[in-house]
Amino acid sequence: MAEKLSIVEEQTPDPSPPSPEVISLLAVDQRDADETLSLVEEYDSRFGPSTPEFEKKLRWKLYLHITILITLINLMLFIDKATLSYASILGLFKETGIDDTQYNNLNTVFYVGYLVAQWPGHYLMQRLPLGKFITAIVFMWSVIILLHCTASNYGGLIALRFFLGLFESVIVPAMEITLGMFFKPEEQALMQPIFWISCMGTPLPAGFIAYGLLYSKSTTVLPWKFFMIITSSITFLLSIYSFFYYPNNPAVARFLTLEEKVQTIRRVHESSKASIEQKKFKKSQFNEAIRDPVSWLFGLQAFTLMLSNNLFYQQNLLFIGIGVSNLGSTLVSAAGGGFAILVCLVATYLLSRFRNKNAYWATFWCIPAIAGGIGMVAAPWSSRLGLLTCILLAGNTYGVSYIIALGWTTSSSAGYTKKLTRNVFFMVGYSVGNLISPQIWVASDAPRYYPAWIIQIVISWFGTPVILLVIRWILARRNVERRAWIEEQKSKGLFADGYVEHKDEEGRSVKTKVEVGLLDLTDLENKYFLYPL
């Protein structure tokens, strides 16, 4: 149970301290409650229920400020992560003297840094103001990308890729946490593909930048260094923007009025029955996350799917191997980015039209990847157009499954420490999968890379949906039990309320009734929490 969690008895809806009677409710110390509690206690009574007109205006304001900001950060995150891929066709191999095996090792060492930083990064994310934490990360990775220009050999690149992975490691979970702070669970699921257009569509802006740089005539500074300078400069400007506008949580968001802050907090708590933020690390929630089999399954599916993730970084080299020129490969890559954006838009529509079917849609978007992978194994090598189509089909569809699973990992957990710990499971699986992924592309297997394609088809694109369907089965069973329990509570006149305990001026213990989402309980402690499916 949560730290300092207790059972109190309540018989009437009177806000005074409850009498030790029939009905049990949860109570926590005020220090263990949601960070937004103080604002709710002070101002909630000033504002009545939200109207449909106000709700619509508020939702669009949140879309405008939150979604655009995190989408820009995510775009630069994946462009910066992919700089090595574009540098490979812009003179990196020539200037640094690396070979294909060393190139794959550079992709692996990036995820060594990614893995090392997961737990300390998540701990700092909880302890520090979220907005300033993210700003510092964005600034640091802009500096590291710029320092790539100083690398002249394999050893220098190894160090830089390690530290880039180190600083980028927790930015995606941090942005997912931000979405959970401002949006209802069903809105989060709907927004995931829109948000991740910035990832899937990375080849579009990056490809055109690389295409333009291939016309560079400079003999002193090769195009790959110009690519690093351009991307690092944009990222640095983004860190300045984040410093002023990235919110720590809804209670302190600059762009919201007082009423909008209160209504945002209300709508999130009422819809999710979960906390928004808690700066105290709770060991009990950490232990519960470890004991919950769903945490391990989310980590496992991240590992299996990410065994195919090096395909994104391998694409340009595959295009060249098929016979496409350097210039042509940048254009094909950009076309793939455009196709990926279309896939995300279609996925958004389908998720909005058929809701609460995360595992089913994740399975659906692995099917085109399987088809593309089979085509790469079976099609004749002389069929250039067919092979290009298969690569683009395989490389630009399964990402939607990753997007759905990542959002589901966060939204299916409650209790801030447990939620962050669940994210660690996901990101550790993600990191380990990406550590191994470059190594399945063995140089001696070129140009067909049969083993790599078979691993991706069987483990990543078939195995991952199986795991996600098992997760759905577990959560659906829990929901059946919870709905029956909630109906039983309603028949007794009980609703989703709890208490926070604090000392008054005379040192007496006082209990105040609050919405249960403000207690920062885990999903297993709070039976009012219904799992999104």
Side-chain angles (χ1 to χ4, degrees), residues 5 10 123 226 249 257-259 312 398 409 437 454 481:
L5 186 65
E10 199 254 343
Y123 179 78
F226 280 124
N249 62 54
T257 66
L258 180 59
E259 182 177 6
F312 179 81
Y398 75 88
T409 301
S437 180
I454 291 171
E481 296 171 357

Side-chain angles (χ1 to χ4, degrees), residues 120-349:
H122 276 81
Y123 179 78
L124 290 173
M125 188 198 310
Q126 181 170 22
R127 301 293 291 172
L128 299 174
L130 185 61
K132 299 303 178 283
F133 175 72
I134 289 179
T135 295
I137 289 176
V138 176
F139 171 76
M140 286 305 301
W141 97 56
S142 74
V143 172
I144 294 170
I145 289 292
L146 183 62
L147 288 175
H148 276 61
C149 297
T150 67
S152 58
N153 54 44
Y154 178 56
L157 288 171
I158 282 281
L160 288 165
R161 297 310 288 183
F162 172 82
F163 282 105
L164 185 63
L166 194 79
F167 282 104
E168 290 188 357
S169 60
V170 295
I171 193 72
V172 168
M175 291 188 291
E176 290 290 341
I177 290 292
T178 301
L179 283 174
M181 288 179 174
F182 288 88
F183 296 98
K184 300 177 181 180
E186 61 269 23
E187 291 170 346
Q188 292 177 57
L190 176 60
M191 287 174 58
Q192 289 296 332
I194 295 292
F195 167 42
W196 282 92
I197 281 176
S198 52
C199 161
M200 302 284 284
T202 294
L204 201 56
F208 281 117
I209 292 172
Y211 182 81
L213 289 174
L214 280 170
Y215 285 98
S216 171
K217 303 299 181 182
S218 173
T219 56
T220 55
V221 181
L222 292 183
W224 74 272
K225 289 186 175 180
F226 280 124
F227 192 87
M228 299 293 179
I229 293 169
I230 291 169
T231 55
S232 65
S233 298
I234 297 172
T235 306
F236 173 72
L237 293 175
L238 186 58
S239 72
I240 296 175
Y241 182 77
S242 297
F243 179 81
F244 291 103
Y245 294 105
Y246 203 107
N248 296 326
N249 62 54
V252 294
R254 292 183 178 184
F255 62 90
L256 294 176
T257 66
L258 180 59
E259 182 177 6
E260 288 169 343
K261 291 176 183 178
V262 171
Q263 297 291 3
T264 298
I265 293 168
R266 277 184 189 172
R267 68 198 299 272
V268 171
H269 283 146
E270 289 171 2
S271 61
S272 67
K273 298 295 185 287
S275 61
I276 289 177
E277 186 179 33
Q278 226 296 327
K279 286 303 183 186
K280 180 180 178 180
F281 175 81
K282 298 181 179 179
K283 186 177 179 180
S284 61
Q285 292 194 11
F286 172 77
N287 291 335
E288 182 181 304
I290 293 176
R291 294 193 302 268
D292 191 340
V294 175
S295 300
W296 294 91
L297 289 171
F298 271 119
L300 179 61
Q301 66 81 34
F303 166 75
T304 56
L305 189 60
M306 287 303 104
L307 286 177
S308 64
N309 202 40
N310 200 60
L311 177 58
F312 179 81
Y313 306 104
Q314 203 75 26
Q315 278 187 135
N316 285 322
L317 296 179
L318 288 172
F319 297 151
I320 292 171
I322 291 172
V324 181
S325 67
N326 282 352
L327 280 171
S329 68
T330 62
L331 292 178
V332 174
S333 178
F339 173 62
I341 290 174
L342 178 62
V343 166
C344 281
L345 292 173
V346 172
T348 301
Y349 170 77

